[in-house]
């Protein structure tokens, strides 16, 4: 299991084993490079902690720690151990960070597991009779002989759509440890979960706040969140798209004289949208190192082979494929090539979900906030609840909204809650896996829980003023980067007003790899789908008409599912 995690933790491996627990930790050294080995034991070596992630407020927490404690390291992770000794499971609500962690108490023979509030860091587990298996990646579980390996077909939603509150692992009997929870386990007791954070607890807490109060507090918290995420004894980078979110991070980094390496994708769509020009101007004005990364989609499509799709399925650990994941992986690869010692990458992810980021963007049709709520938010909420309540399709048309939309909070607050699951399903999932594959840790300042709680507390009367077209974020950017174009539209990754380049990329890579897929999978009786069905899709995509892109997606999906089946059934051989 440890060997499988070598890319996520390339710097060190430590193993612990007793009569109850067998545990291996792979380390990516970022803080206290020489002294921060894990697991970290307490003074009498009766309790240890291991943390995948970062505790950003560890220095402040050390000052608050009561009693006498002897620290063995300067690692941010050790504070969890001593706080647990002092406060028990209340420790998790004290942490500002991203983490999946375990605490082992030898004397009690008790295991405590916890995951950060938004699910930024992954943690999988499986219960088989009395045996508990857990790990930071699905593949670590799959090499264990007791781990289930059967695909969960009922959870194979269309890529980009996740309506379920429980984020699937896509494997029967393997589960994601829920975000914002901790759990305890002992050999003679069942695994017991407890929530320590929920975004809903912050709804409507800001009724007395004015717009100015919220704007000032948002600015203060974001600057502090960015500064905290500079915590590292290694080089730090930023994926600077040139859009609003990453440009704001760059401006705040420069205030702290951070020598952060900025990487920007240069491609036809990013050039046409104005993002490349914005990124260059931001780095020049802030004095930040600028690395333009040229992406030629035509060339990338021609070079994309079946082995690349297999790599992406194993990397993402999912029967899904999206070109954004491949592009992000290539961006990490380039960053590592340009700055070999880089181990931390800041991202703009999470800025949209809770600040109106999807209310107005390039290609959207809504004219104002109420239009967005009526025609996008409310229908999506109804769909979300119908999915969670498993309403049969034949009853959906004509159902009244009142039974599916919570009237006690605003529609946008309900949308915020739904987006906490969407983040785990898509953005946070692929950002974590694509960075870890290249020995890099991704950090997301906009998902500091204090920022999320502030935005959730904004009363409905201020939603249009602050959230329509991301006004709150735009106004904050204007404070720190006055010459940034105020009317710059939100542009999704690799999107312009024409989708031709991405459409052609999907069609071309599918055409490239299908003949090899026939040889490697269909002819070897490994395919889960009939050859005639896939041949028909291949014929349709080859015509380059209006139906070609959808045919390519359907065929690519079938190949990804088949490859994932092989990945699950023969994990070690697949990855070798």
């Amino acid at each position: 299991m440890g060997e499988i995690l070598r890319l996520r933790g390339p710097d060190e491996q430590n193993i612990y084993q007793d009569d109850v627990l067998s545990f291996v930790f792979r380390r990516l050294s970022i803080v206290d490079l020489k002294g921060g080995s894990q697991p970290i034991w307490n003074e009498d070596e009766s309790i240890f902690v291991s943390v995948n992630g970062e505790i950003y407020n560890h220095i402040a927490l050390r000052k608050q720690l009561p009693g006498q404690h002897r620290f063995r390291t300067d690692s941010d992770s050790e504070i969890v151990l001593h706080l647990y000794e002092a406060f028990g499971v209340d420790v998790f609500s004290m942490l500002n960070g991203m983490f999946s962690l375990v605490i082992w108490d030898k004397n009690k023979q008790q295991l405590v597991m916890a995951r950060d509030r938004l699910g930024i860091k992954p943690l999988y587990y499986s219960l088989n009779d009395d045996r508990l298996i857990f790990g930071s990646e699905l593949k670590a579980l799959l090499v264990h002989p007791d781990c289930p390996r059967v695909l969960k077909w009922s959870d194979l939603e269309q890529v980009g759509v996740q309506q379920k509150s429980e984020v699937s692992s896509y494997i029967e009997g393997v589960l994601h440890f829920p975000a914002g929870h901790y759990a305890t386990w002992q050999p003679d007791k069942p695994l017991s979960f407890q929530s320590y954070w929920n975004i809903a607890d912050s709804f409507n807490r800001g009724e007395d706040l004015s717009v100015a109060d919220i704007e000032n507090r948002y600015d203060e918290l974001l600057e502090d969140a960015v500064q905290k995420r500079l915590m590292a004894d290694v080089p730090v980078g930023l994926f600077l798209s040139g859009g609003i979110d990453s440009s704001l991070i760059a401006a705040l980094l420069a205030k702290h004289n951070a020598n952060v390496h900025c990487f920007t994708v240069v491609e036809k769509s990013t050039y046409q949208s104005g993002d490349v020009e914005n990124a260059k101007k931001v780095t020049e004005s802030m004095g930040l190192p600028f690395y333009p990364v040229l992406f030629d989609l035509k060339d990338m499509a021609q070079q994309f082979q079946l082995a690349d799709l297999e790599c992406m399925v194993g990397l993402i650990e999912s029967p899904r494929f999206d070109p954004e994941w491949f592009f992000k992986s290539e961006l990490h690869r380039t960053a590592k090539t340009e700055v070999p010692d880089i181990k931390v990458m800041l991202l703009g992810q999470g800025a949209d979900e809770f600040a109106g980021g999807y209310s107005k963007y390039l290609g959207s049709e809504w004219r104002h906030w109420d239009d967005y709520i009526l025609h996008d938010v409310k229908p999506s909420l109804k769909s979300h609840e119908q999915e969670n309540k498993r309403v049969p399709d034949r009853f959906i048309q004509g159902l009244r909204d009142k039974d599916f939309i919570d009237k006690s909070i605003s529609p946008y607050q309900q949308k915020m809650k739904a987006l906490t699951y969407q983040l785990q399903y898509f953005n946070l999932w692929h950002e974590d896996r694509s960075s870890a594959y290249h020995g890099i840790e991704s950090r997301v300042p906009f998902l500091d829980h204090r920022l999320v709680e502030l935005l959730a507390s904004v009363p409905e009367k201020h939603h249009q003023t602050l959230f329509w077209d991301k006004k709150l974020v735009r106004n904050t950017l204007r404070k720190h980067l006055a010459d940034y174009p105020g009317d710059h539209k939100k542009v999704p990754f690799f999107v312009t007003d024409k989708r031709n380049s991405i459409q052609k990329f999907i069609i071309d890579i599918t055409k490239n790899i299908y003949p090899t897929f026939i040889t490697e999978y269909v002819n070897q009786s490994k395919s889960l789908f009939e050859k005639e069905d896939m041949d028909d899709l291949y014929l349709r995509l080859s015509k380059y008409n209006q139906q070609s892109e959808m045919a390519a997606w359907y065929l690519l999906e079938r190949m990804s599912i088949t490859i994932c089946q092989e990945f699950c059934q023969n994990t070690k051989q697949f990855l070798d």
Side-chain angles (χ1 to χ4, degrees), residues 296-315:
D296 184 330
L297 292 195
K298 181 179 179 180
D299 183 59
M300 294 172 82
Q302 289 175 345
Q303 295 185 30
F304 195 96
Q305 302 297 321
L306 179 64
D308 295 303
L309 181 59
E310 291 173 324
C311 177
M312 291 307 301
V313 169
L315 184 160

Side-chain angles (χ1 to χ4, degrees), residues 62 84 100 126 140 194 215 226 269 288 301 305 309 317 325 328 358 442 454 480 495 552:
R62 286 193 183 209
Y84 175 75
S100 59
S126 179
Q194 181 66 45
E215 288 183 327
V226 170
S269 63
L288 296 170
Q305 302 297 321
L309 181 59
E317 306 181 305
W325 307 342
K328 281 294 179 70
Y358 301 122
S442 57
L454 173 66
H480 301 282
V495 172

Side-chain angles (χ1 to χ4, degrees), residues 78-93:
E78 187 172 358
I79 188 62
V80 179
L81 174 65
H82 300 301
L83 286 173
Y84 175 75
E85 291 180 294
F87 299 105
V89 292
D90 290 339
V91 58
F92 306 120
S93 61

